[in-house]
Amino acid sequence: MKLSQMKEGKKCRIKELRFPPEMKKKLLELGLFPGQIVEVIQDAPFGGPVKIKVKDYCLALRKNEAELIEVEDCNGE
């Protein structure tokens, strides 16, 4: 499942980042790494950004960036 497919209020665990090395490094520095749990705070309509909560801060990603992050739903845990 992709991060862009997650609904607001849902938590998920990052499985894989499918970015070029430079962008992947920036995301890793921001705390987005495999195994990290994030919560979707807001999914803007019409292809707008996806706002997520990582640890104690929020981060907004473009929809096309959120499509490159593979996640697994962890609301059932």
Side-chain angles (χ1 to χ4, degrees), residues 37-70:
I37 294 176
V38 299
E39 179 180 356
V40 177
I41 303 296
Q42 182 181 22
D43 184 14
F46 309 114
V50 177
K51 186 176 178 183
I52 59 173
K53 183 176 181 181
V54 184
K55 295 183 181 178
D56 59 345
Y57 64 93
C58 293
L59 182 66
L61 298 169
R62 294 180 182 100
K63 184 72 95 179
N64 63 344
E65 294 170 338
E67 290 181 7
L68 298 175
I69 300 176
E70 288 289 326

Side-chain angles (χ1 to χ4, degrees), residues 7-51:
K7 301 294 182 193
E8 291 181 12
K10 299 292 183 179
K11 291 184 179 180
C12 57
R13 180 174 290 118
I14 296 174
K15 290 174 60 180
E16 183 179 1
L17 302 173
R18 296 183 177 181
F19 288 91
E22 283 186 27
M23 184 65 177
K24 189 173 183 177
K25 182 180 176 187
K26 288 181 181 179
L27 294 174
L28 290 171
E29 290 172 352
L30 291 171
L32 295 180
F33 51 84
Q36 178 64 47
I37 294 176
V38 299
E39 179 180 356
V40 177
I41 303 296
Q42 182 181 22
D43 184 14
F46 309 114
V50 177
K51 186 176 178 183

